[in-house]
Amino acid sequence: MAENSQSVRVLPGIGPKKAQLFAKLGISTLDDLLRFYPREYEDRTRILPIASLEAGVPACFVASVVTNPQTHRIPKPGSRQLDLTKVVVADHTGRLNLTFFNASYTAQRLIRGETYCFYGTLEGDYLGYAMTNPLFEPIGSDGVVTRRIMPIYPLTAGLTNKQVTQAVQAAIFRCGVSETLPEAVREAYGLCGADAALREIHMPSSAEALEEARRRLIFEEFYVFSAALAIVRAKRSVRAVPAFRTDGMEQFYGALPFSLTGAQQRAIDEILADFRSGRPMSRLVQGDVGCGKTMVAAAAAFCAAKNGKQAALMAPTEILAKQHLDRLAPLLEPLGVRCVLLTGSLPAGQKKAVRQAIESGEADLIIGTHALLTEATIFSDLGLVVADEQHRFGVAQRAALVAKGEQPHLLIMSATPIPRTLALILYGDLDVSVIDELPPGRKPVATHLVDESYRARLNGFIRKQAEEGHQTFIVCPAIEEGETESFKAAEQWAQTLKDSVFPNLRVALLHGKMKGAEKEAVMTAFAAREYDILVATTVIEVGVDVPNATLMVVENADRFGLSQLHQLRGRIGRGGAKSYCILVSDNRNEETLARLKALCSTTDGFKIAEEDLKLRGPGDFFGSRQHGLPVFHVGNLATDLNVLKHAQQAAAKTVAAGDISPALQAAVDALLHNENFVMN
Ligand code: ADP
Ligand code: MG
């Protein structure tokens, strides 16, 4: 619908300045406005007699005006003058004094003897009650600001709820939305039509109608999402690729410094079977932090190299890429697999040389960061793409790497377990290998939740670790002190620790704003035990391995998502010594405490992910939007899972029948072009 794609500026009262404010809310077209759903609602349907109004509780009441509104101007030196309008209203149960501040124009519209519906909050106590700046409208009119459920929109400075409401109303008046749900689907699931849902979500006529609208919109959102998945999957070419030979793996196994766990071997065997199948692999390897996914990737890369193909291993950070190289090169080079590292911070000359080695086919295993994706990187014959810590990559990035080869096999490795229920729906077409076993000798990390009153003991504990030759990670939620002074910023905290808390210990700092080389120098020094304490932001969350670190302190632990904390905790407990994770939080919120306690009582990443999803909701799942789950606006992956299931069934039917209406196709296209859309 062309109308819907017009700018909000076509609406009365929206000029360039207002349009900019709307843009801040992510609204540029009428369609954006129609889909800008209220954050919550204010129920103004309750109408009480004056005598039943309660102080502090907003409510509606119907009353007649008994005095003429009287306006007094109060001179105020140095600033805008105040005006004050007083008027008395009454119903059969009592009288009430109304006061209007700086609203004489509005208040003077009240006519003595007429009856209005008012909405406001009673103030005062037994000595006298009054109400300030109530909203009102004549009793004969349709309720617009009284006697109804009012939408409350997310706002930005400079825009009022009233302005947004009016804009939305104007947009609804101008144009409708198209119906993406086939009639048969609406009938089967008892869903209201698109236009009704649109009206009711923005201006509910009743609580029931609002619920119906929500139910339909949730269904629709999931339906369009599922249809998009189904359409893309149906289109995905399944051209045959030459089968790999997978014999000769003994050479690789023989070179390992340890024997593989059963779960690792199973995952590798599954990958090798994919390689032999003659179809491009799409496999997700899920396994808790520390379960040894890197070796699984190495086995796959080895096999690819033996088949004369290149393998690319993409890591989300330079530190991690470097660590992969440091671990894999000594293992694979002697087996004839030439390994190179390509990251953004390499000096230009070196970068060029590495790229040449990649293009000429001299390099077999190419480990790198996003630098792998740039146009300048050309592979000679890319046969395998491995995305490590997949939740850190967008679909587009993964797709860009895959596009550098001809139907390369794709291996996705993730330590953030998606709850099984969700994985089934969201990764329906990926084959999944689960590594549910840790290498032998790992002791679970003992996790404790403490508050500030433990600070002295905690400091003593850190000292003790250092005395025993062990190291400590201290994780802070931000780099610099922000406006909210309440949480420890890594930089300041590191300084404080160095200067006054642990003057005798060696304290280092690591954060995401440091240059690649700087970060690497710090990490390398820490791994070489040149520091006792590493104060860091979540840059250490991903992958980094320092077996001698036995203690992790997480400051303001309540600021992190559960799964993120679990990831962080995975940095320790990698050596033979007993390890501890201390979560520090002064937060007293019961929900928050329950969340953190869940982490203390289990080390099962899947359980934690389920818990996270339940407690925080998917908006915050894993503490950020980098979790790799799609973002839904109305639907909630935690609570609306059943709807998702039904919507998926319905969408699968629609797509299989080739019954895609232009409206559905348009919605699907819009979704696919959204950068936040995650597709595997
Ligand atoms: P993750 O699954 O989190 O990526 P890594 O691959 O980084 O885990 O492995 C964690 C640590 O476990 C590394 O130090 C690695 O060398 C070691 N490791 C991996 N597999 C085994 C194994 N089968 N036996 C002993 N140690 C192993
Ligand atoms: Mg890893």
Side-chain angles (χ1 to χ4, degrees), residues 293-294 320 324 388-389 413 543 574:
K293 291 183 289 295
T294 315
L320 197 56
H324 281 327
D388 192 17
E389 306 296 346
M413 303 203 294
R574 295 187 155 224

Side-chain angles (χ1 to χ4, degrees), residues 258-261 264 287-295 323 327 388-389 415 439-440 442 543 545 571 574:
F258 40 67
S259 44
L260 294 168
T261 64
Q264 280 173 315
D288 229 327
V289 197
C291 71
K293 291 183 289 295
T294 315
M295 280 309 143
Q323 185 179 286
R327 265 208 234 152
D388 192 17
E389 306 296 346
R442 293 278 170 77
D545 203 21
R571 300 300 105 226
R574 295 187 155 224

Side-chain angles (χ1 to χ4, degrees), residues 117-134:
C117 187
F118 296 87
Y119 176 78
T121 308
L122 192 70
E123 301 149 8
D125 50 32
Y126 63 95
L127 291 175
Y129 290 99
M131 190 175 282
T132 309
N133 289 21

Side-chain angles (χ1 to χ4, degrees), residues 248-542:
M249 288 302 292
E250 283 67 32
Q251 198 193 358
F252 172 79
Y253 301 138
L256 290 176
F258 40 67
S259 44
L260 294 168
T261 64
Q264 280 173 315
Q265 188 64 63
R266 217 177 317 123
I268 292 172
D269 290 343
E270 283 162 358
I271 291 166
L272 297 180
D274 290 345
F275 283 172
R276 282 191 300 268
S277 74
R279 300 215 164 257
M281 169 176 76
S282 290
R283 182 170 290 278
L284 171 70
V285 174
Q286 279 202 3
D288 229 327
V289 197
C291 71
K293 291 183 289 295
T294 315
M295 280 309 143
V296 172
F302 173 80
C303 182
K306 286 289 140 190
N307 282 273
K309 297 279 183 179
Q310 291 178 308
L313 169 54
M314 182 162 67
T317 63
E318 295 212 353
I319 297 184
L320 197 56
K322 179 71 170 41
Q323 185 179 286
H324 281 327
L325 181 81
D326 291 345
R327 265 208 234 152
L328 297 183
L331 174 73
L332 295 174
E333 293 268 358
L335 304 179
V337 180
R338 290 153 301 181
C339 304
V340 294
L341 179 71
L342 184 66
T343 62
S345 68
L346 283 185
Q350 223 170 316
K351 222 184 273 178
K352 201 167 159 212
V354 171
R355 287 211 164 107
Q356 257 158 18
I358 298 172
E359 189 166 0
S360 68
E362 236 173 275
D364 299 310
L365 173 57
I366 299 94
I367 300 173
T369 54
H370 303 91
L372 293 179
L373 302 176
T374 55
E375 252 175 70
T377 313
I378 298 162
F379 291 83
S380 114
D381 191 1
L382 183 61
L384 169 68
V385 166
V386 184
D388 192 17
E389 306 296 346
Q390 69 95 24
H391 64 292
R392 291 296 188 108
F393 295 109
V395 186
Q397 292 171 317
R398 207 154 55 216
L401 190 51
V402 166
K404 288 188 178 277
E406 252 186 60
Q407 308 261 342
H409 295 291
L410 174 63
L411 184 62
I412 296 167
M413 303 203 294
S414 174
T416 39
I418 307 287
R420 269 174 252 280
T421 38
L422 271 184
L424 272 180
I425 295 168
L426 301 178
Y427 301 112
D429 78 321
L430 280 184
D431 297 306
V432 180
S433 298
V434 176
I435 306 187
D436 51 5
E437 192 181 341
L438 293 181
R442 293 278 170 77
K443 298 187 184 94
V445 176
T447 306
H448 301 281
L449 174 63
V450 304
D451 58 26
E452 278 303 324
S453 67
Y454 281 76
R455 182 62 68 188
R457 279 167 68 184
L458 183 56
N459 289 343
F461 194 47
I462 295 172
R463 242 178 242 117
K464 189 165 154 259
Q465 297 298 313
E467 277 159 18
E468 290 171 4
H470 289 305
Q471 293 160 285
T472 297
F473 286 112
I474 298 179
V475 185
C476 300
I479 303 170
E480 287 160 29
E481 211 86 52
E483 310 94 72
T484 31
E485 297 271 326
S486 61
F487 55 93
K488 305 270 180 298
E491 219 154 42
Q492 270 89 342
W493 191 233
Q495 202 59 47
T496 309
L497 293 181
K498 224 185 287 190
D499 295 346
S500 36
V501 186
F502 304 115
N504 302 322
L505 298 183
R506 301 160 301 170
V507 181
L509 172 69
L510 184 74
H511 59 70
K513 281 197 191 155
M514 287 162 56
K515 291 233 163 59
E518 263 181 284
K519 275 193 273 196
E520 198 186 308
V522 171
M523 238 10 255
T524 312
F526 187 66
R529 305 191 188 188
E530 288 170 28
Y531 293 104
D532 304 298
I533 297 172
L534 181 65
V535 180
T537 58
T538 50
V539 285
I540 59 152
E541 172 192 345
V542 172

